[in-house]
Amino acid sequence: MFTKQFILKKIGQILLHLLFWVAVLFFYTYFFGINGSKFDDTLQFSLFLMPITIATTYVITYKLIPDYLITKQYWRFVLYSFYTLIISVYLLMVSIFFSLIYLSNFEYDDMNPATKNLIFISTAVYLVVIIVSGFKLLKLNLKQASNTRLLETKILDAQLKLKEQELNYLKMQIHPHFLFNTLNTMYGFALKKADQTPDMILKLSNLLDYLLYQAEKPFVLLSEEIAHIKDYIALEKMRFNDTLKVNINISTTSESITIAPMLLIPFIENSFKHGAIINGILKIDIQLSATLEEIHFSIKNSNAEGTSSKSGIGLENIKKRLELLYSEKHELFINNTPNTFDVELRLKPVGHA
């Protein structure tokens, strides 16, 4: 069932077409009457040309252009356009006989000079056809460009949703992995009934708060990520006691620098989990410098000869997250030697907390 809006739109289109063809009729009447011939005769001849012009125009603009030219069926477009040209020229020749028979009573000398010349008549008719066809092509091209932009927008939206889903999935993997390691440490302290257990619970509470409320954000302040890292290292120091030697050096130039949450912690987790204790000591060196233009993070841990630090879930996830969040704005280097396992990350900050 047609809606009121649709009906009004169609009526508006019909009225617009009628107005255009009335204007074309006045153009023909003026064009063929420039030599001062009788107005009635010129008007009748122009009225005879109108159906030929309208038919030719509509065949080209509503059939040939949309069905063959736009769909790139060029040979059919050329063939059917040639057929249309032949038929329209034949009808234009008929119009000359109409002028001779009905307007001049078979008196050739009494004919309007403009109606004697087929080229002159064809120029007037095909001028209208060409102008209308040009507007039709412009309209179709604009519509196609609009549809293309709409399709590109839908594709980008779909890709963005997939990207968000993948990031959420990676975060879901990070949380259990991190908690598993931390709770293991806490369990060991509880068994020993160590005095550090309350302090450990407090730090774990801070870490859980960060996980629940900050890690869901696309970006957080780098200072928050650093505080999270320090709490994690403090927990690990309690677990390792005198077997751990951590050197950490942090330098930032601005409090407004942002980073994706839990982006650096998997590298640090990996060092504690897979680093080798040599001569009774696990050595870890952490360097972090940050400006508004670049964040430079590096971590190095001792590595026993003949063993290799495994990447694990954490590092594999972080590689995927870097590709999704920082794409071509990061550089990651991992160097596994017999004595050390080195990771260096350079990235350009994006987003806002």
Side-chain angles (χ1 to χ4, degrees), residues 14 22 61 66 99-100 142 157 197 247-249 254 256 261 266 271 291 295 304 307 309 315 330 332 346 350 353:
I14 292 172
V22 169
T61 56
S99 176
L100 175 64
L142 291 174
D157 288 342
T197 304
N247 176 39
I248 181 169
N249 185 17
S254 174
S256 61
S271 293
T291 66
I295 297 175
T307 64
S309 295
L315 287 187
H330 80 279
L332 177 63
R346 295 180 182 270
V350 296

Side-chain angles (χ1 to χ4, degrees), residues 96-343:
I96 295 177
F97 285 107
F98 167 80
S99 176
L100 175 64
I101 298 171
Y102 293 98
L103 301 181
S104 304
N105 297 318
F106 292 97
E107 295 293 335
Y108 184 79
D109 293 336
D110 293 338
M111 287 180 65
N112 182 346
T115 64
K116 296 179 182 180
N117 192 331
L118 179 61
I119 296 177
F120 193 71
I121 298 171
S122 300
T123 300
V125 172
Y126 293 128
L127 178 64
V128 175
V129 173
I130 291 171
I131 291 174
V132 175
S133 299
F135 277 106
K136 182 67 173 181
L137 271 174
L138 178 62
K139 182 179 178 181
L140 289 174
N141 285 332
L142 291 174
K143 183 179 179 180
Q144 191 173 29
S146 177
N147 291 337
T148 301
R149 286 194 298 270
L150 182 62
L151 180 61
E152 289 175 349
T153 301
K154 289 182 178 179
I155 292 173
L156 289 174
D157 288 342
Q159 290 176 341
L160 181 61
K161 289 179 180 178
L162 287 173
K163 184 177 179 179
E164 290 176 351
Q165 289 175 358
E166 187 173 356
L167 282 171
N168 289 333
Y169 173 72
L170 293 173
K171 285 181 180 179
M172 288 173 64
Q173 286 185 315
I174 289 173
H175 295 181
H177 181 246
F178 169 77
L179 288 175
F180 176 78
N181 290 342
T182 308
L183 289 174
N184 261 350
T185 304
M186 189 173 174
Y187 176 72
F189 272 79
L191 289 178
K192 296 176 183 178
K193 297 182 181 180
D195 294 337
Q196 301 99 320
T197 304
D199 188 33
M200 188 175 188
I201 293 174
L202 179 61
K203 291 186 181 302
L204 179 60
S205 175
N206 292 336
L207 292 174
L208 289 174
D209 179 74
Y210 185 83
L211 284 173
L212 290 174
Y213 300 107
Q214 302 300 322
E216 296 304 319
K217 298 178 180 179
F219 296 96
V220 297
L221 291 174
L222 179 61
S223 57
E224 295 176 349
E225 184 77 1
I226 292 172
H228 172 66
I229 290 172
K230 288 180 177 179
D231 282 342
Y232 178 82
I233 293 175
L235 285 173
E236 292 292 3
K237 283 182 177 180
M238 293 178 187
R239 181 165 70 93
F240 279 87
N241 291 322
D242 296 333
T243 62
L244 178 65
K245 183 179 180 181
V246 178
N247 176 39
I248 181 169
N249 185 17
I250 297 174
S251 172
T252 60
T253 60
S254 174
E255 291 294 324
S256 61
I257 302 171
T258 59
I259 193 172
M262 303 219 30
L263 192 70
L264 304 179
I265 195 68
F267 297 117
I268 299 173
E269 277 189 285
N270 190 72
S271 293
F272 282 103
K273 185 175 181 180
H274 301 293
I277 297 178
I278 301 175
N279 297 325
I281 299 292
L282 169 61
K283 295 182 179 179
I284 298 176
D285 182 73
I286 301 171
Q287 303 291 327
L288 175 62
S289 61
T291 66
L292 291 173
E293 289 75 31
E294 184 183 65
I295 297 175
H296 181 207
F297 170 80
S298 66
I299 184 168
K300 180 190 298 184
N301 62 266
S302 54
N303 194 26
E305 187 173 359
T307 64
S308 61
S309 295
K310 300 177 183 178
S311 60
I313 293 175
L315 287 187
E316 288 302 316
N317 283 357
I318 212 65
K319 290 177 183 178
K320 294 177 182 177
R321 289 184 69 201
L322 283 169
E323 287 298 327
L324 289 170
L325 290 171
Y326 291 91
S327 187
E328 298 178 358
K329 296 184 178 181
H330 80 279
E331 292 180 322
L332 177 63
F333 304 98
I334 298 177
N335 186 26
N336 189 10
T337 69
N339 298 318
T340 60
F341 185 82
D342 303 335
V343 174

